[in-house]
Amino acid sequence: QSGHYGRDLMQDMYQRHLDGDETLKDLPEDEDPFWDPPCEVLIGTSSAFLQALGYGIDMDDPILVTDYKGEDQGQMFINISPCDETGKCMGEEYFVEDSTELLGKPYHYKVTIKSCEIRDSRFNVGSFIKYKLEGDEDYTITPTVSKSLSPEFNHSRVVKIEKVTQETLDYFENSCITFLLYGCQEDRESDVKLMKLTTKELRQREESSGNMKTNALTRQLTKNVVDESAALKTEILVLKRRNDILAKKEKRIQGIVTEWGKKPPEEQQFDPYHRAISAAAFNTGTMLKSAATVITQVIKAQKLVGAMTAVNGEPPVVSKAAGSKACVLM
């Protein structure tokens, strides 16, 4: 019945409008069936890919905000980084060479929404961001920041994973977090000229201004390109960080080898050398595990040879790091 009442009221008011009833201008908003309170509007979305989390790498780059047409509407400044259970970030030195090393272990990461840059001045009234992670039933929503096109949200959330599974690694490798940027609206006086136009005329006006020139296929292709670019950027970030870690380790090991090469022969003992190399190899990841394993096997072989020669009545051979094959290999 209320639906019929509202429709009848609209028809009655429309007829009064056609008859030139001026009293309609003073009608309170809560009595006007044609009036709806202003609601938030979706400005655009940003996608943050999670591949870097599988390698213990943080992501801290601006992300493009695009609307449903694939057009640039601004930037989001978001950080996603591995952390401990208290939310303290692990830092640049933390690195995981092979993501499968995380299996069966607890894992924590922190999502931080710092700020945003909004292009359209219409959304100066207020803005907020909401997002949903895997397993979330409801959206996480930031506070609304008013009167700014550069809102600072300073929102953070620590995500706790009790035990990493293969599904977790697949989620990191293939998924992303989609952040939705909403803008608030306020009532404004309508343009008298636009009020006289029909729906068809308004649509023609938008098309002539170029706002609706791109078709649905073009918009979808544009969005796909933006998403693929973001995914490639994340992959390049992972490769770059891995390369940086490798370079630091290589330089550190070169320093150790050079330092031990300068020692006098009586101080070139293999066990301390092995400990120094292992410390460098295992310090920030497993990049040089294979090399450290080779050295361990060499030590075991040398001890075995020493034991055998001692049994045969010959003195055991004393190993020297500078002349060993492991040292040459490194």
Side-chain angles (χ1 to χ4, degrees):
Q1 292 180 348
S2 59
H4 289 293
Y5 172 76
R7 184 180 62 184
D8 294 340
L9 182 59
M10 288 182 177
Q11 290 177 341
D12 177 66
M13 290 188 62
Y14 181 65
Q15 186 60 48
R16 289 168 59 189
H17 169 71
L18 295 178
D19 294 340
D21 189 346
E22 295 294 330
T23 60
L24 294 176
K25 295 181 180 180
D26 301 323
L27 188 69
E29 292 176 343
D30 57 352
E31 297 180 11
D32 186 353
F34 291 99
W35 179 85
D36 286 317
C39 60
E40 62 271 6
V41 60
L42 179 62
I43 301 174
T45 61
S46 294
S47 296
F49 289 85
L50 304 177
Q51 184 184 21
L53 287 178
Y55 300 94
I57 299 175
D58 66 307
M59 192 206 74
D60 191 19
D61 287 328
I63 308 175
L64 190 66
V65 179
T66 55
D67 62 12
Y68 73 97
K69 300 177 184 178
E71 296 178 354
D72 178 8
Q73 294 296 332
Q75 284 184 320
M76 283 188 195
F77 298 91
I78 293 172
N79 177 279
I80 303 176
S81 58
C83 66
D84 60 20
E85 58 183 3
T86 66
K88 182 180 179 181
C89 295
M90 304 300 289
E92 293 185 358
E93 293 300 317
Y94 179 72
F95 182 74
V96 179
E97 181 187 1
D98 187 348
S99 59
T100 57
E101 296 174 18
L102 299 173
L103 289 172
K105 301 177 182 178
Y107 192 86
H108 304 82
Y109 66 94
K110 188 175 184 179
V111 178
T112 303
I113 303 176
K114 299 178 180 178
S115 60
C116 191
E117 294 290 338
I118 303 174
R119 306 268 190 260
D120 197 332
S121 60
R122 290 183 303 157
F123 303 113
N124 185 53
V125 178
S127 58
F128 63 91
I129 294 174
K130 67 180 185 179
Y131 64 95
K132 183 185 293 187
L133 303 180
E134 185 182 41
D136 288 353
E137 294 184 1
D138 301 316
Y139 279 99
T140 298
I141 305 176
T142 69
T144 299
V145 179
S146 304
K147 307 300 179 183
S148 177
L149 291 176
S150 302
E152 295 186 3
F153 298 104
N154 296 320
H155 161 86
S156 63
R157 171 185 174 186
V158 175
V159 182
K160 299 182 180 181
I161 300 174
E162 298 296 333
K163 186 168 71 171
V164 174
T165 64
Q166 186 58 49
E167 288 74 18
T168 308
L169 298 183
D170 293 340
Y171 174 65
F172 287 163
E173 183 68 25
N174 304 311
S175 301
C176 65
I177 301 176
T178 300
F179 297 91
L180 295 84
L181 175 62
Y182 281 85
C184 302
Q185 301 183 96
E186 62 182 357
D187 273 341
R188 296 182 180 178
E189 291 294 330
S190 302
D191 190 331
V192 178
K193 294 181 180 179
L194 294 179
M195 291 178 63
K196 296 180 179 180
L197 299 178
T198 64
T199 303
K200 181 178 180 180
E201 290 171 335
L202 288 171
R203 183 174 294 275
Q204 290 175 344
R205 178 188 175 91
E206 289 183 350
E207 291 176 349
S208 64
S209 64
N211 291 336
M212 299 180 63
K213 285 184 178 180
T214 54
N215 55 35
L217 178 60
T218 303
R219 292 196 295 267
Q220 185 60 43
L221 288 174
T222 303
K223 187 173 185 345
N224 290 344
V225 168
V226 171
D227 288 346
E228 288 177 7
S229 298
L232 288 173
K233 189 174 182 180
T234 302
E235 189 170 349
I236 291 172
L237 175 67
V238 172
L239 293 175
K240 183 178 183 300
R241 182 64 62 83
R242 295 179 74 176
N243 183 69
D244 291 343
I245 297 290
L246 270 173
K248 289 180 181 179
K249 287 191 174 185
E250 181 181 13
K251 186 175 180 180
R252 186 171 182 179
I253 290 178
Q254 286 174 347
I256 293 174
V257 173
T258 301
E259 179 185 351
W260 276 81
K262 294 179 180 179
K263 289 180 178 291
E266 61 272 13
E267 294 183 12
Q268 293 179 351
Q269 299 178 11
F270 198 85
D271 285 348
Y273 176 77
H274 170 253
R275 287 195 296 269
I277 289 292
S278 295
F282 289 94
N283 183 40
T284 57
T286 57
M287 198 67 73
L288 300 176
K289 262 188 179 176
S290 56
T293 302
V294 169
I295 295 176
T296 302
Q297 295 300 326
V298 170
I299 288 178
K300 289 181 179 179
Q302 288 179 337
K303 288 181 178 179
L304 179 61
V305 171
M308 291 177 64
T309 54
V311 170
N312 294 332
E314 300 177 1
V317 179
V318 178
S319 303
K320 293 184 179 180
S324 69
K325 289 185 178 181
C327 182
V328 175
L329 174 64
M330 293 312 299

